[in-house]
Amino acid sequence: MEQFSGYAIHEPHSSLSSLSVDAQGLQNQIDELSAFSDSHAPSVTRVLYTEKDVLARRYVKNLMGIAGLSVREDAVGNIFGRWDGHEPELAAVATGSHIDAIPFSGKYDGVVGVLGAIEAINVLKRSGFKPRRPLEVILFTSEEPTRFGISCLGSRLLAGSENLANALKTATDSQNISFLDAARSAGYAKDTDDLSSVFLKKGTYSAFVELHIEQGPILEDEGISIGIVTAIAAPASLKVEFEGNGGHAGAVLMPNRNDAGLAASELALAVEKHVLESGSIDTVGTVGILELHPGAINSIPSKSHLEIDTRDIDEERRNQVIEKIHQSAIRITKTRGVKLSEFHIINQDPPALSDEAVIKAMEIATRELNLTSKLMISRAYHDSLFMARLSPMGMIFIPCYKGYSHKPEEFASIQDMSNGVKVLALTLAKLSLE
């Protein structure tokens, strides 16, 4: 196991008016965690249940232990670090995020919300604070959909998704490795195929607060320290496949082609068209995956595969865009003589609203720390989207360089992370006393 940064022992402060963040220690830990990667620095690639993922989890569990938290894991690898309060039987206040990273991404997405949450606990302990309710840090399994095509896998299961629990029994990755085999290789799901043990009851937590980089440029552009999230946009994911006849790139003349690749290209442009026609800047759509078969320069594509992401803060408007994409796919089959072999909605989630009491606690904490703040909508989805099904929810955003995320240039300054940890610590403290 690689060496990792611990924390110096401090005498507790008499009140929460002075919060001491070990910001350099937090940065060191982020740097160290980024070394658990299947790609070279400065990029990070950390995919669910791989060797690097397992080592990274071990690293975080050790940090939880150093912070004096009691650590447990569930059947899919959601990790919980608990600090019991004066009344441990009360529902806990939870915080946390994820540490998995899509291929060739950065080292701050999700990680700030996990390591920052552990540091927030240390901040409170150093201040001499004693919570009434327990405080719990959660490392969520697989917020990214990289391996099995399912975003927020761990938090969806915590929120009680029976459909997902059943689907995972037969789910496989691109190498035809089953979810259960992958989980067992990492030390999880050992005794049963039934994942319902992961489900939590509504009310398990009295509140959930997630610290996260903004993943957009607004806070940096406006010179604002803290974003207070009021809502998370509704995401949907689609899988689409076309089948054509294929053939030799030189021998088949243009009028005689049924090109699955051009069908996919036309649908990709249709996605952009329908999103722009929604009339709202909050509607977005992305064709993130486009694959052609057989994938040879001198072969007309006989099959094409697209994966489409579309989001909006208005669920009905987003669903209208999905229906228009479907109608365009059907039209393309007729004009190009191809077959629509799949049009599958992988997920179609409703938006989540932050709880007014949690928003208020974050606002008060920000004011007491003399930090500027702004009410914001999150257009990226987070585990908070599904934790909102279990408890009142809120999110704290901090600025990131040029809004960059999911790329190696992703960056958050030590000062901005320190501000976020302070706001999180003070918010947790307030909520834990309620």
Side-chain angles (χ1 to χ4, degrees):
M1 182 65 196
E2 284 85 346
Q3 292 295 313
F4 57 84
S5 299
Y7 292 87
I9 298 173
H10 299 264
E11 291 299 317
H13 296 280
S14 58
S15 74
L16 287 173
S17 60
S18 177
L19 297 177
S20 172
V21 176
D22 183 2
Q24 187 58 58
L26 176 58
Q27 181 65 66
N28 292 344
Q29 291 165 7
I30 290 171
D31 294 341
E32 289 163 356
L33 189 63
S34 71
F36 300 108
S37 170
D38 284 314
S39 60
H40 295 297
S43 73
V44 178
T45 300
R46 193 162 47 242
V47 178
L48 176 66
Y49 299 147
T50 59
E51 179 185 2
K52 300 301 185 183
D53 181 47
V54 171
L55 289 172
R57 289 163 176 273
R58 188 182 304 168
Y59 179 90
V60 173
K61 286 185 285 184
N62 274 278
L63 289 182
M64 287 179 171
I66 289 172
L69 304 179
S70 59
V71 180
R72 71 176 181 88
E73 300 174 273
D74 65 21
V76 297
N78 290 311
I79 300 171
F80 307 83
R82 188 178 181 92
W83 178 18
D84 273 329
H86 288 308
E87 300 181 43
E89 72 281 359
L90 293 178
V93 178
T95 182
S97 195
H98 67 99
I99 63 167
D100 62 313
I102 68 169
F104 305 102
S105 59
K107 60 185 175 182
Y108 295 89
D109 174 19
V111 170
V112 171
V114 176
L115 301 187
I118 297 171
E119 174 59 10
I121 297 296
N122 281 288
V123 165
L124 293 176
K125 288 191 171 188
R126 289 196 289 263
S127 76
F129 176 76
K130 302 294 183 184
R132 175 173 171 248
R133 295 177 178 275
L135 295 177
E136 196 157 280
V137 177
I138 307 174
L139 186 164
F140 294 101
T141 281
S142 192
E143 191 261 4
E144 305 289 4
T146 311
R147 185 164 187 182
F148 292 97
I150 302 162
S151 62
C152 299
L153 188 152
S155 54
R156 284 179 192 270
L157 286 174
L158 289 177
S161 176
E162 293 184 4
N163 288 339
L164 176 57
N166 290 327
L168 289 174
K169 293 177 183 178
T170 56
T172 57
D173 65 10
S174 61
Q175 304 301 310
N176 208 33
I177 298 170
S178 75
F179 173 83
L180 290 171
D181 283 346
R184 285 166 185 150
S185 74
Y188 302 110
K190 292 179 179 179
D191 301 322
T192 179
D193 293 356
D194 183 7
L195 300 178
S196 63
S197 64
V198 176
F199 299 172
L200 295 179
K201 294 180 180 178
K202 190 170 184 178
T204 297
Y205 298 113
S206 64
F208 176 81
V209 185
E210 183 172 4
L211 173 64
H212 210 282
I213 61 170
E214 181 195 346
Q215 299 182 289
I218 295 172
L219 293 175
E220 182 183 63
D221 287 350
E222 298 184 9
I224 294 172
S225 298
I226 297 293
I228 296 173
V229 175
T230 58
I232 302 174
S237 302
L238 315 175
K239 281 186 180 180
V240 183
E241 292 190 354
F242 291 106
E243 291 184 16
N245 292 333
H248 193 285
V252 181
L253 299 179
M254 300 304 288
N256 299 326
R257 296 189 180 194
N258 307 110
D259 190 327
L262 291 179
S265 301
E266 190 172 340
L267 186 63
L269 291 172
V271 170
E272 180 187 41
K273 176 176 180 288
H274 297 318
V275 164
L276 291 174
E277 288 175 347
S278 79
S280 172
I281 197 170
D282 293 316
T283 314
V284 294
T286 305
V287 179
I289 295 176
L290 199 164
E291 299 170 339
L292 304 180
H293 177 83
I297 190 172
N298 61 347
S299 181
I300 300 164
S302 59
K303 294 181 182 179
S304 59
H305 172 91
L306 304 90
E307 295 190 21
I308 302 166
D309 178 299
T310 181
R311 310 179 191 204
D312 202 316
I313 59 171
D314 185 304
E315 185 177 9
E316 182 179 354
R317 189 167 58 213
R318 180 209 61 190
N319 291 346
Q320 289 173 352
V321 169
I322 292 172
E323 178 56 28
K324 288 179 180 178
I325 293 170
H326 189 198
Q327 292 304 315
S328 286
I330 293 170
R331 176 185 53 78
I332 290 166
T333 65
K334 296 174 182 177
T335 58
R336 293 198 171 272
V338 295
K339 176 185 176 183
L340 182 63
S341 53
E342 181 177 14
F343 190 97
H344 175 56
I345 299 174
I346 304 169
N347 64 275
Q348 195 170 7
D349 298 302
L353 300 178
S354 297
D355 180 78
E356 289 295 331
V358 178
I359 291 173
K360 183 177 179 181
M362 294 186 291
E363 287 179 319
I364 293 172
T366 304
R367 284 200 301 271
E368 290 181 1
L369 292 164
N370 295 315
L371 296 170
T372 55
S373 67
K374 176 185 181 73
L375 296 177
M376 303 182 70
I377 290 167
S378 174
R379 290 174 175 82
Y381 60 74
H382 304 279
D383 290 302
S384 291
L385 183 69
F386 301 97
M387 292 304 288
R389 301 177 184 181
L390 288 172
S391 74
M393 174 277 294
M395 288 194 74
I396 299 163
F397 277 171
I398 60 170
C400 57
Y401 174 66
K402 292 187 176 180
Y404 289 164
S405 189
H406 284 193
K407 56 193 294 186
E409 295 85 355
E410 181 179 271
F411 175 77
S413 72
I414 285 179
Q415 184 59 60
D416 286 329
M417 289 192 292
S418 180
N419 289 340
V421 169
K422 286 181 181 180
V423 173
L424 177 63
L426 195 51
T427 301
L428 295 175
K430 292 177 182 299
L431 295 172
S432 75
L433 295 176
E434 291 182 355

